[in-house]
Amino acid sequence: MSVSIAFEKAAAENRAALVGYLPAGFPSVDGAVEAAKAMVAGGCDVIEIGLPYTDPLMDGPTIQDAVHRSLTGGARLADVFRTVEAVASTGAQTLVMTYWNPVDRYGVERFAAELKNAGGAGLITPDLTPEEGREWLETADSLDLDKVFLVALSSTEERIEKITSVCRGFVYAASLMGVTGARSAIDTGAAGLVARTKAHTDLPVGLGLGVSTGAQAAEVAGFADGVIVGSAFIKRLLDAPSQAAGLKAVHELAAELAEGVRAGR
């Protein structure tokens, strides 16, 4: 089932969709499942499950810390699929966000089939280009999985056209140059990037990298179809003195952000 359903439901309610990110295995395999469920209960429409990776390219220190803990805790690819299955069972559309090498090494068809069997909606692939993604594109189409690629502030009109033409589900707009992490202000180029992207596609456009408060979520919801939040959720878990406190913190943040995506319209 495509993640576009979640965006359509949000649009029907005259709001942006709220998308939350969390790496599998953080703070533990079971802890990640519970945290993601708390995010859904707090108001997240879509959950991105990160596949822990030893050499992150675009992740800032907060996500790097969480992924390191996941890897040292022994999280494996089977745990990613297990997490997807558990989160998808809540009814929230669930995607995997991953660098391409683990998928390539595992086998594209095998990975896609196991993702589908777990109830996953598709993949977000930040370092895969359409030119290098033919096998994934064909496999995803055969299994009815979403293909979410990224556009950036540096993307040319020609590049945006190329990327959006192969996306399914939504288009991920990365609003900041550099690595991920919560910011005190939304980059001034963000609205322009979303507008440029929407000129090339009818797909919803979600904006990610930097949102950490309800006020920022409201600001982004004023021009984007989805508000993507990752580091802020992870920081709540990192700062929590106990698992119970962490679950309460991410639930409260999701509720604040959910209120924000409604206030922005």
Side-chain angles (χ1 to χ4, degrees), residues 21-258:
Y21 166 89
L22 194 68
F26 170 78
S28 64
V29 174
D30 291 338
V33 170
E34 293 308 311
K37 287 182 175 180
M39 290 157 64
V40 173
C44 284
D45 302 289
V46 178
I47 298 292
E48 302 174 9
I49 299 299
L51 192 156
Y53 189 53
T54 55
D55 189 23
L57 303 175
M58 64 175 281
D59 297 325
T62 301
I63 293 178
Q64 284 187 32
D65 190 358
V67 168
H68 176 72
R69 295 185 187 209
S70 175
L71 291 170
T72 56
R76 297 291 181 264
L77 190 50
D79 296 315
V80 175
F81 295 128
R82 179 180 147 203
T83 304
V84 168
E85 185 172 24
V87 177
S89 72
T90 66
Q93 298 302 306
T94 309
L95 297 152
V96 167
M97 186 168 191
T98 178
Y99 296 108
W100 189 244
N101 189 52
V103 181
D104 191 45
R105 290 188 63 181
Y106 194 73
V108 176
E109 291 187 5
R110 180 184 175 198
F111 190 103
E114 293 193 25
L115 176 64
K116 179 76 172 182
N117 289 339
L123 287 181
I124 302 170
T125 50
D127 66 337
L128 183 67
T129 65
E131 292 82 0
E132 296 173 335
R134 177 174 295 182
E135 185 179 4
W136 161 238
L137 294 173
E138 293 175 353
T139 302
D141 286 343
S142 71
L143 292 174
D144 205 29
L145 289 170
D146 287 344
K147 308 157 293 186
V148 182
F149 290 80
L150 275 67
V151 295
L153 291 171
S154 58
S155 299
T156 64
E157 298 304 313
E158 181 182 13
R159 196 66 196 154
I160 292 174
E161 174 66 31
K162 177 69 173 179
I163 291 168
T164 56
S165 72
V166 298
C167 284
R168 178 183 186 271
F170 76 102
V171 182
Y172 192 125
S175 69
L176 297 162
M177 301 298 285
V179 299
T180 61
R183 302 302 205 274
S184 60
I186 300 301
D187 189 281
T188 53
L193 174 60
V194 171
R196 289 170 60 210
T197 304
K198 290 177 76 67
H200 292 276
T201 182
D202 292 328
L203 288 171
V205 179
L207 186 76
L209 307 186
V211 172
S212 61
T213 68
Q216 289 177 341
E219 182 182 350
V220 172
F223 57 83
D225 302 303
V227 180
I228 304 169
V229 183
S231 295
F233 281 117
I234 292 169
K235 191 172 188 308
R236 294 290 179 103
L237 293 171
L238 288 169
D239 291 347
S242 66
Q243 179 170 324
L247 295 178
K248 183 174 185 289
V250 295
H251 182 279
E252 289 175 348
L253 176 59
E256 177 188 340
L257 295 167

Side-chain angles (χ1 to χ4, degrees), residues 6-7 10-11 13-19 45 217 220-227 257-258 260-262 264-265:
F7 283 89
E13 297 173 0
N14 194 33
R15 64 177 178 86
L18 177 59
V19 183
D45 302 289
V220 172
F223 57 83
D225 302 303
V227 180
L257 295 167
V261 299
R262 285 165 170 79
R265 296 293 179 91

